[in-house]
């Protein structure tokens, strides 16, 4: 039997507020918070966004899916 594309894929979530600070250069960020997780391709076709804790911002922020 031929295997198709995997249903569960590994994705990287990146803090959106840290990346905006880095672009605007208003405040020097020490780093960008990233999390690695999995998502089901059939149930979640669009980009994943989760609210996670960012150790660089010291608060819960929205982490969005980025390309590898």
């Amino acid at each position: 039997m031929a295997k198709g594309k995997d249903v569960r894929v590994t994705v990287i979530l990146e803090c959106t507020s840290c990346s905006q600070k880095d672009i605007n250069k208003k405040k020097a960020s020490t780093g960008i918070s990233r999390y690695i997780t999995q998502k089901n391709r059939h149930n979640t076709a669009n980009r994943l966004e989760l609210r996670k804790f960012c150790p660089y911002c010291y608060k819960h922020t929205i982490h969005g899916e980025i390309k590898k």
Side-chain angles (χ1 to χ4, degrees), residues 26-38:
K26 289 182 181 175
K27 186 176 179 183
S29 179
T30 56
I32 297 175
S33 173
R34 289 189 174 165
Y35 285 93
I36 298 173
T37 187
Q38 291 183 343

Side-chain angles (χ1 to χ4, degrees), residues 19-68:
S19 59
Q20 288 174 357
K21 284 182 192 174
D22 196 32
I23 291 170
N24 294 336
K25 301 286 185 190
K26 289 182 181 175
K27 186 176 179 183
S29 179
T30 56
I32 297 175
S33 173
R34 289 189 174 165
Y35 285 93
I36 298 173
T37 187
Q38 291 183 343
K39 75 171 187 177
N40 189 324
R41 193 184 308 227
H42 294 302
N43 295 340
T44 314
N46 50 358
R47 291 195 177 261
L48 187 64
E49 284 189 345
L50 294 175
R51 191 175 156 119
K52 306 282 277 178
F53 180 77
C54 177
Y56 301 107
C57 299
Y58 298 108
K59 59 184 177 180
H60 284 83
T61 58
I62 296 176
H63 286 64
E65 181 180 338
I66 61 169
K67 291 185 180 179
K68 290 185 180 178

